[in-house]
Amino acid sequence: SSASQALEILNSISPEEKGLIASLLPVKTEIEKHKFGKGAMQLEKIMQSANEIIRNNRIISECESSAAQLRVKSDSLAQWTKLDVPMNFRGTAATACFIGSIQGRITSSELEELIPVCSAEVIFESKEQNKLFILCRKDNADSVSEELRRNGFIPISEPEADTPLNLIKKYEEQIISMEKKASMSREKIAGMSDKRRALEFAIDYLQMRK
């Protein structure tokens, strides 16, 4: 199973180039008895190569998955780029801060009219949703929180202690790092193309033993 998986990975990442004549020859090739015995003695080394191919392919999958997750996180922060405080900012010693979204469109003045004890800033505006930064005195925090909740306010759940722009930059750097790591593993697999015949031998040999 490991040998077959490794050969499939190798053929996927580094397909074998076959000429017209080679493509017409039988898939299976004959092997002399002494070469068969020599190949059987190399089985452990062949399986080490197979496991190395599988390990590098796992690295590729993990890097691609991590990069995709980071792109989703980066895209979700695109509407918050005007926010110049950390995403997990909750206020100061004297103030309480609320960062989040309200369905529909609302201006800063409309929100301040709705909740007079707060100061509001619209970070991003669209027909569907507004991203908001709201500040009030700490002793008004409970009443402001309750009023916001009644109006459908959804607090942001981002735990990072950094600004959206810095986070996007950090995620982009991590994505580049993941892509480089995946590329290196692909090159390592492609560099093991000379193990193709050995893997084919191992598969046949182990099938015969089975």
Side-chain angles (χ1 to χ4, degrees), residues 178-200:
M178 291 292 156
E179 288 174 343
K180 283 182 179 177
K181 192 174 178 181
S183 179
M184 284 174 64
S185 286
R186 282 193 194 90
E187 288 174 8
K188 285 179 182 177
I189 293 172
M192 298 177 77
S193 295
D194 60 336
K195 307 296 182 185
R196 198 186 316 271
R197 295 291 170 262
L199 287 169
E200 290 171 348

Side-chain angles (χ1 to χ4, degrees), residues 95-183:
T95 63
C97 171
F98 302 90
I99 302 172
S101 308
I102 282 183
Q103 296 298 320
R105 183 174 286 174
I106 188 168
T107 64
S108 300
S109 55
E110 286 172 341
L111 188 58
E112 289 170 356
E113 193 175 319
L114 183 67
I115 312 173
V117 294
C118 80
S119 173
E121 180 183 351
V122 176
I123 303 298
F124 179 84
E125 182 181 359
S126 71
K127 290 180 181 179
E128 295 78 25
Q129 196 178 67
N130 271 25
K131 311 292 186 184
L132 303 167
F133 174 84
I134 300 156
L135 207 64
C136 70
R137 283 174 46 179
K138 211 153 198 170
D139 52 5
N140 290 324
D142 290 341
S143 61
V144 170
S145 176
E146 181 61 27
E147 191 62 36
L148 286 170
R149 188 185 62 79
R150 274 200 293 266
N151 284 274
F153 180 80
I154 304 169
I156 194 166
S157 58
E158 178 60 63
E160 296 282 354
D162 211 339
T163 65
L165 276 175
N166 284 343
L167 286 173
I168 289 171
K169 184 180 178 182
K170 183 171 77 173
Y171 294 153
E172 286 174 349
E173 288 172 353
Q174 289 175 359
I175 288 167
I176 291 169
S177 175
M178 291 292 156
E179 288 174 343
K180 283 182 179 177
K181 192 174 178 181
S183 179

